Amino acid sequence: MMLASALALTSCAGEELEQPSTAAGFGNAPPAVSAPGRTSGPVALLLPLSGPGPLAAAAQAMENAAKLAFSAPGSPPLDVRDTGGTPQGAAAAASAAIAAGDGLILGPLTVGETSAVAPVAAKAQVNVLAFTNDGALAAPGLWPLGISPGEQVRRVASYAADQGRTKPAALLPSSPFGTLMGNALTAEAARLGEPPPDISYYGQSFGGLNQTVRSLTRFNSRGASIEAKIRAARAEDTQAGRLKAAKLSRQPIPPPPFDSLLIGATGEHLAEIGTLLPYYEAGPPQVLLMGPMLWAQDAKGMAAHDTLRGAIYAAPDPQARLAFVQRYQTAYGAPPPSVADVAFDAAAIAVLTSREGGYTTPVLTNPAGFTGTDGLLQLQPNGKVRRGLAVFRVEPGGPQ
């Protein structure tokens, strides 16, 4: 859908943020019930700068990215505050920022920190653009900007439906990540008017994984009975028995009860699943395999496996962030880690909205959305974030 205008985030710090004449959007979002949020003031950036090693390293890159966006002329003051990487530290940092008159909070980074900041910000009616990707924390006035498992699932499930694959199923790890993916697939199937997906969760053992795949594919009712008949015919040890066995062996096994399969595995578990699915006659082309954004890290390696070739996953288009990568590298001497993208986008949204009426919910939830480093994103009044993710197919020459 082409919209008359959109709020765009420039990927080059120091340049004016513009409203292009046209941009792709997501359609109209439901109207906000209320309009919390402040119209002006400095912007707080909450990061675990003194947190444990990995957190501190990520926080530094995110601070760099935010400062890059705030180097644009006319930007409001940026108030950087350390959370220490703890919920208590995050709540204290948010309270101090609000007391200092900050009108918008960017961050914090983790789920625990965000959960602690949420009630502090809500009480003061200060909106929050958090960096976590846990969509469960979404609420009016708080938007988790990280690319959530739910958004990844929504995108591939919608794409599969467009290809005529309307009977989804899922094979997911028994973990919070797997649960999020399963819930998202169930919700998207309901939205698309599809039957409830059959979702199976597996543990760490490969033996258990084998049994889970066999059960999910309903192989006992589809193929095991034919195998038993073939064995019985051969056991007759007669010419008629051998002819019967040969005839049965040419009989095709019925397809599984699903035509698309969401897989939450990576690494060795994914390779094992790629071996088990053909064994149980439940792989491509009868079944379209779908996976998480994590597959982008090893898409070329996956293509070496016949079963995984042609599988799809949703992720940002890497071409979209090239300008940001170049700008960041020029400023800091090294390319940014992917976690820096969300900090730059949040900061650029803050800079832009400070000029467009302030940090209020109506401004932040402009139905046209924003064009960020990882593509289009739309903040909805209920705190959900919708993203225009690309769908990639695993191919030998690289994802397409």
Side-chain angles (χ1 to χ4, degrees):
M1 178 179 180
M2 301 304 292
L3 300 177
S5 64
L7 303 178
L9 311 181
T10 180
S11 57
C12 298
E15 298 179 0
E16 288 295 320
L17 303 179
E18 301 176 349
Q19 292 187 1
S21 58
T22 59
F26 300 95
N28 293 327
V33 175
S34 59
R38 299 185 178 180
T39 58
S40 62
V43 175
L45 176 63
L46 309 187
L47 289 170
L49 295 167
S50 63
L55 280 182
Q60 185 58 64
M62 298 176 88
E63 181 184 3
N64 290 344
K67 287 181 175 178
L68 201 62
F70 270 77
S71 67
S75 298
L78 181 63
D79 181 13
V80 181
R81 294 182 181 267
D82 182 16
T83 67
T86 67
Q88 297 83 357
S95 296
I98 291 169
D102 292 358
L104 178 69
I105 293 175
L106 310 182
L109 178 56
T110 66
V111 171
E113 292 175 299
T114 305
S115 297
V117 166
V120 176
K123 183 177 180 180
Q125 289 203 336
V126 171
N127 284 327
V128 179
L129 302 181
F131 300 148
T132 177
N133 71 344
D134 189 343
L137 295 177
L142 191 155
W143 293 269
L145 292 188
I147 302 175
S148 69
E151 272 298 287
Q152 299 167 43
V153 171
R154 183 194 66 80
R155 184 67 181 94
V156 292
S158 176
Y159 176 88
D162 289 342
Q163 306 305 307
R165 310 280 183 151
T166 58
K167 295 183 292 184
L171 183 62
L172 304 170
S174 182
S175 67
F177 175 72
T179 300
L180 286 172
M181 293 186 73
N183 292 343
L185 183 62
T186 299
E188 184 62 12
R191 189 188 72 83
L192 294 170
E194 298 173 345
D198 190 353
I199 300 175
S200 292
Y201 295 92
Y202 61 86
Q204 291 299 311
S205 74
F206 287 110
L209 179 59
N210 179 36
Q211 290 302 316
T212 301
V213 175
R214 185 184 182 98
S215 175
L216 176 66
T217 60
R218 303 290 189 271
F219 187 74
N220 285 351
S221 60
R222 294 169 45 242
S225 60
I226 295 178
E227 290 182 343
K229 292 176 182 178
I230 292 174
R231 288 194 297 270
R234 289 172 177 167
E236 293 176 8
D237 197 23
T238 63
Q239 180 66 17
R242 286 189 287 273
L243 290 173
K244 182 179 180 181
K247 182 178 180 180
L248 286 168
S249 66
R250 292 192 295 271
Q251 182 175 326
I253 294 176
F258 49 84
D259 55 19
S260 64
L261 179 64
L262 178 66
I263 301 174
T266 58
E268 293 182 359
H269 278 114
L270 179 57
E272 182 71 7
I273 291 170
T275 300
L276 290 170
L277 288 175
Y279 182 79
Y280 292 122
E281 298 287 342
Q286 298 98 325
V287 178
L288 175 64
L289 305 185
M290 310 179 294
M293 188 169 64
L294 290 170
W295 283 7
Q297 300 174 10
D298 190 34
K300 290 185 178 180
M302 288 172 57
H305 200 299
D306 289 344
T307 304
L308 302 178
R309 197 174 301 148
I312 64 170
Y313 62 91
D317 184 348
Q319 297 296 316
R321 71 187 296 261
L322 290 181
F324 166 63
V325 171
Q326 182 178 9
R327 195 72 180 187
Y328 186 101
Q329 185 157 2
T330 299
Y332 301 110
S338 59
V339 72
D341 295 17
V342 68
F344 180 85
D345 285 353
I349 289 173
V351 171
L352 177 58
T353 55
S354 71
R355 306 168 183 172
E356 299 292 336
Y359 319 117
T360 64
T361 294
V363 176
L364 291 170
T365 58
N366 185 307
F370 303 88
T371 303
T373 57
D374 291 327
L376 287 171
L377 66 156
Q378 181 198 62
L379 311 185
Q380 299 184 297
N382 61 3
K384 299 292 185 182
V385 179
R386 295 194 66 191
R387 286 183 172 271
L389 299 176
V391 174
F392 293 89
R393 187 173 63 251
V394 174
E395 295 291 353
Q400 298 180 3

